[in-house]
Amino acid sequence: MNHRLHHDGKNGWVGKTQYWKDAVVYQVYPASFKDSNGDGWGDIPGVISELDYLRDLGVDVVWLSPMFESPQKDMGYDISDYQAVYSRYGSLADLDKLISSCHERNMKLILDLVVNHTSDEHPWFKESRSSKTNPKRDWYIWKPARYDSDGNRIPPTNWRSYFAGPTWTWDDNTEEYYLHLYGSFQPDLNWENPSCREAIYQDTMRFWLARGVDGFRIDTVNKYSKRTDFPDAPITFPGEPNQPAAEMWCNGPRIHEFIREMQAKVLTPYNHALSVGELSNTPLPSQVLPYVSAANRELDMVFEFSMIRLGTGGAFQDKYLYQPYPLSQLKAHVATWQTFLEGTDAWHTVFCENHDNGRAVSRFGDTSSHQNWERSAKAICLWQATLTGTLFLYQGQEIGMVNMPREWGIQEYKDCESMGFYQEAVASGDPDRISKTMDGLRILARDHARLPFQWDDSTNAGFTSERAVPWMRVHDSAFEGLNVNRQREDEESVLGFYKTVLKLRKKYGELLIHGAFRHLLPEDEALFVYVKEGAESGRKALVLLNFSREEQDLSTRQLSVAGTLGCEESQEATLLITTLREGERPGIESPEQLKPWEGRVYVNFVEEA
């Protein structure tokens, strides 16, 4: 199974399979995708039943969010047994069938690797907390208490967790605190301990790779190496006991050593299994490059979050206090991460949705009317599919699923993070903070992406049986036709558009997947315009996206389609695709006018048959 690789300085690791660069990866959130047995909870047999739907969409790789045994306090990101399937999702046999069913369709399957922390119900942690002399004591991070000037016990540091509150919880049994960057039910593993690391590699990675899994999306990949001197964080929120402290655990002193070890000991021996890291709090290209440089032999690619975090008030206290932003800011982030690849041996991801964010069409598009919803969902599709990197889609993105209705109350929000921030606002006693937090949750909360998938017009939207009670409320006021069955019948629907565009992306991969990005009109607050250029063919594409509710005139921007594409006098630019429906296209031969939320791609060649 071992494959010797070497870096040739140009093309990456010789012998390394790089199918993933051209792939479309589709994230399945199994609790909300398809319920096969009518218990109101999605399951693995439900995923298997819709693999043909994913294949027909154009998906190459399925990313399955955590389906491991878990108390489900954080929807499976609190794992109590890495080698078992949570019973409501199915069995190991079901997972094996999912692997083989994907492979039969020439699709690959990757799992979520959650190894910054475990559940506090994991056997490792139960042993660790049983006594200070237990062999697994040092598999987690334990520290004695501090005491203030009045003799009150306080945590070892003043660090604030991602889910609100301190990062430390007191354990009465052994009279020490344990560290958890997230919930108190998610104690952090101690990657400084080599025995712990080896157990992670064996139990959480080799076990699944040996069963045929093709790789991992690696959760919180840059948080394994903490500062081991454990200093207090600077006071940035005066009067608060817990302070933001991401610099204490993100991109720590041994992080690259740990990831290189993971690659060498596990990923490379298993035919260079795919690795996609979640890289938070790392906003500079110079910080990201070491993780994804092929020469470093760490990760294939990472998710960088500057763009998708737009609108949030930061990762900690003010996260859900919504901050409006101009289009130019979004475009600047995109341009940064498109151009950082140039002249490097690195690779990147393209995404605008996942399980931790509000729906893209509700955040970056326009849901003020049915027409604007459909047009902006297609514009987002065109934007994403014409960017360089591996394209990641989240379930429901391809049909334009939207956020839950604004009138739904806090009782419909199930996520532990949402509830933590809301309860913190309530505890403040400040009505303005409560109101603003709720407003932010209506736009940004993780819950929006977790509503049941909309398959048809039936009760419960075909996610589960009509008599079942879904684990999360089904959207009951979405736009007409916002489900798979309706859109399957309409080639010009959002779903039909995604299918068309994904085929074009692969057909012209040199240009759209691998092409160089050149940003035009960076300060324009209505138009998103850029050129993609093939490295060898000389082919160019001009992407025009109107991100506004008003018609926009290119001539006022002194932008010529043919001129931008470098067409000769006798040559005309070719319209490759438009987001408009057939009946909306009169006059489209003139490229100067873009309708509200219209997108077009022009090329300097004649499209191939």
Side-chain angles (χ1 to χ4, degrees):
M1 188 172 289
N2 283 284
H3 294 272
R4 293 186 178 273
L5 305 172
H6 70 275
H7 191 268
D8 72 352
K10 178 182 178 182
N11 298 313
W13 301 2
V14 174
K16 170 181 173 181
T17 301
Q18 295 185 320
Y19 69 88
W20 37 269
K21 288 191 174 182
D22 298 291
V24 173
V25 185
Y26 187 98
Q27 182 185 359
V28 170
Y29 196 75
S32 301
F33 189 65
K34 188 69 176 286
D35 171 22
S36 71
N37 61 6
D39 68 351
W41 185 275
D43 47 44
I44 294 170
V47 178
I48 295 170
S49 72
E50 296 296 346
L51 287 179
D52 287 339
Y53 164 75
L54 298 181
R55 181 195 59 194
D56 293 344
L57 174 62
V59 171
D60 303 292
V61 180
V62 176
W63 156 22
L64 186 66
S65 291
M67 76 305 145
F68 311 99
E69 186 62 57
S70 165
Q72 298 295 331
K73 293 180 181 178
D74 186 19
M75 291 305 295
Y77 284 90
D78 50 324
I79 297 171
S80 56
D81 187 342
Y82 287 103
Q83 297 183 2
V85 174
Y86 179 56
S87 60
R88 295 189 73 179
Y89 287 133
S91 64
L92 272 175
D94 291 325
L95 200 284
D96 288 338
K97 184 178 179 182
L98 176 60
I99 295 169
S100 62
S101 296
C102 285
H103 293 169
E104 288 166 5
R105 292 164 174 80
N106 200 30
M107 297 161 67
K108 297 185 183 295
L109 178 71
I110 64 173
L111 301 183
D112 240 298
L113 182 65
V114 185
V115 290
N116 175 72
H117 50 264
T118 68
S119 165
D120 59 2
E121 296 184 23
H122 194 287
W124 293 348
F125 187 69
K126 289 181 178 180
E127 286 192 53
S128 184
R129 78 187 311 178
S130 65
S131 76
K132 292 181 180 178
T133 58
N134 186 278
K136 289 188 174 63
R137 180 67 171 183
D138 196 39
W139 284 29
Y140 294 84
I141 300 171
W142 295 91
K143 292 293 175 187
R146 296 188 298 178
Y147 293 88
D148 64 18
S149 58
D150 296 323
N152 298 310
R153 186 183 73 218
I154 58 174
T157 70
N158 66 347
W159 302 350
R160 175 191 167 94
S161 79
Y162 285 97
F163 289 170
T167 58
W168 299 94
T169 290
W170 177 255
D171 178 64
D172 283 327
N173 183 48
T174 56
E175 296 188 323
E176 283 191 327
Y177 285 91
Y178 63 86
L179 179 72
H180 51 88
L181 300 186
Y182 294 89
S184 61
F185 52 88
Q186 294 165 301
D188 276 44
L189 289 159
N190 181 16
W191 277 70
E192 298 287 331
N193 184 311
S195 297
C196 178
R197 294 202 304 276
E198 181 55 35
I200 289 170
Y201 302 151
Q202 184 62 32
D203 288 16
T204 76
M205 300 181 73
R206 296 188 188 109
F207 175 84
W208 291 106
L209 292 168
R211 299 185 87 93
V213 166
D214 299 291
F216 302 98
R217 174 267 188 184
I218 307 177
D219 189 61
T220 60
V221 75
N222 60 331
K223 296 176 182 174
Y224 306 154
S225 175
K226 281 79 171 174
R227 279 189 57 173
T228 54
D229 53 345
F230 295 97
D232 272 341
I235 304 300
T236 53
F237 286 83
E240 296 286 343
N242 307 304
Q243 299 294 319
E247 69 275 13
M248 304 299 175
W249 60 71
C250 283
N251 311 310
R254 297 185 67 190
I255 191 62
H256 294 291
E257 173 192 344
F258 292 156
I259 296 175
R260 281 194 295 270
E261 180 182 85
M262 177 192 290
Q263 179 65 247
K265 287 191 172 184
V266 186
L267 297 170
T268 295
Y270 280 88
N271 200 26
H272 190 85
L274 179 61
S275 56
V276 189
E278 181 191 32
L279 202 71
S280 62
N281 302 112
T282 310
L284 301 177
S286 59
Q287 297 172 307
V288 173
L289 185 59
Y291 289 96
V292 292
S293 166
N296 280 12
R297 302 192 181 193
E298 292 189 23
L299 301 169
D300 293 323
M301 50 190 157
V302 297
F303 298 119
E304 194 284 325
F305 292 106
S306 297
M307 188 278 294
I308 204 171
R309 294 293 190 227
L310 284 173
T312 62
F316 295 94
Q317 270 92 335
D318 292 341
K319 179 174 182 178
Y320 288 108
L321 301 183
Y322 185 71
Q323 304 292 320
Y325 58 88
L327 176 64
S328 56
Q329 188 176 353
L330 181 152
K331 296 192 297 183
H333 285 308
V334 172
T336 294
W337 296 105
Q338 284 289 285
T339 57
F340 109 104
L341 296 174
E342 295 178 9
T344 75
D345 60 354
W347 193 244
H348 203 48
T349 57
V350 177
F351 72 105
C352 65
E353 278 200 32
N354 62 25
H355 62 293
D356 281 339
N357 292 276
R359 288 289 183 176
V361 71
S362 296
R363 295 182 61 200
F364 309 120
D366 188 344
T367 58
S368 62
S369 69
H370 187 284
Q371 184 181 69
N372 286 346
W373 157 72
E374 181 176 282
R375 285 185 177 181
S376 63
K378 291 178 180 179
I380 289 169
C381 168
L382 204 55
W383 161 41
Q384 293 290 286
T386 54
L387 295 179
T388 294
T390 299
L391 178 62
F392 285 75
L393 303 179
Y394 181 73
Q395 65 181 44
Q397 181 179 340
E398 76 279 10
I399 59 171
M401 283 185 67
V402 298
N403 281 357
M404 61 175 68
R406 289 187 60 83
E407 60 268 21
W408 284 12
I410 191 63
Q411 71 277 6
E412 302 297 346
Y413 291 72
K414 310 297 184 187
D415 176 46
C416 59
E417 181 181 84
S418 298
M419 296 311 301
F421 276 83
Y422 183 77
Q423 289 164 2
E424 186 178 51
V426 170
S428 74
D430 181 351
D432 185 58
R433 188 173 186 89
I434 297 170
S435 176
K436 288 181 177 177
T437 298
M438 193 66 219
D439 283 344
L441 288 171
R442 290 185 178 113
I443 301 168
L444 303 167
R446 306 197 303 179
D447 303 79
H448 299 296
R450 303 175 184 191
L451 294 187
F453 192 97
Q454 293 158 213
W455 293 100
D456 59 36
D457 288 318
S458 66
T459 301
N460 292 329
F463 159 69
T464 186
S465 70
E466 296 193 12
R467 296 183 301 277
V469 178
W471 77 276
M472 199 171 185
R473 184 174 173 181
V474 174
H475 207 304
D476 54 11
S477 58
F479 295 107
E480 182 181 357
L482 210 171
N483 64 65
V484 169
N485 272 10
R486 287 282 195 96
Q487 294 190 25
R488 265 188 179 132
E489 301 167 358
D490 180 359
E491 292 183 356
E492 294 188 297
S493 67
V494 177
L495 177 61
F497 189 76
Y498 264 91
K499 290 180 178 180
T500 298
V501 172
L502 293 182
K503 289 176 183 175
L504 284 175
R505 177 175 170 84
K506 290 180 179 178
K507 184 177 181 179
Y508 300 112
E510 182 225 12
L511 184 60
L512 301 181
I513 300 174
H514 298 271
F517 175 99
R518 181 158 60 89
H519 194 188
L520 304 179
L521 307 179
E523 303 304 319
D524 198 297
E525 301 297 354
L527 294 182
F528 195 171
V529 182
Y530 49 91
V531 171
K532 297 296 298 295
E533 184 169 4
E536 298 177 0
S537 66
R539 288 180 165 183
K540 292 182 181 180
L542 173 63
V543 182
L544 302 170
L545 301 167
N546 181 1
F547 269 49
S548 79
R549 296 180 187 177
E550 290 76 40
E551 190 168 283
Q552 300 294 329
D553 190 340
L554 294 181
S555 63
T556 63
R557 275 90 169 177
Q558 298 182 330
L559 182 68
S560 161
V561 171
T564 301
L565 289 173
C567 295
E568 303 293 337
E569 287 188 15
S570 60
Q571 180 188 11
E572 293 184 357
T574 301
L575 178 63
L576 187 64
I577 192 167
T578 172
T579 56
L580 296 180
R581 285 179 171 267
E582 192 74 37
E584 299 173 329
R585 297 179 189 175
I588 198 170
E589 295 80 8
S590 171
E592 284 78 21
Q593 300 292 325
L594 285 174
K595 294 182 182 296
W597 289 107
E598 180 186 353
R600 298 182 197 171
V601 178
Y602 288 94
V603 293
N604 65 345
F605 56 88
V606 177
E607 186 185 0
E608 302 160 5

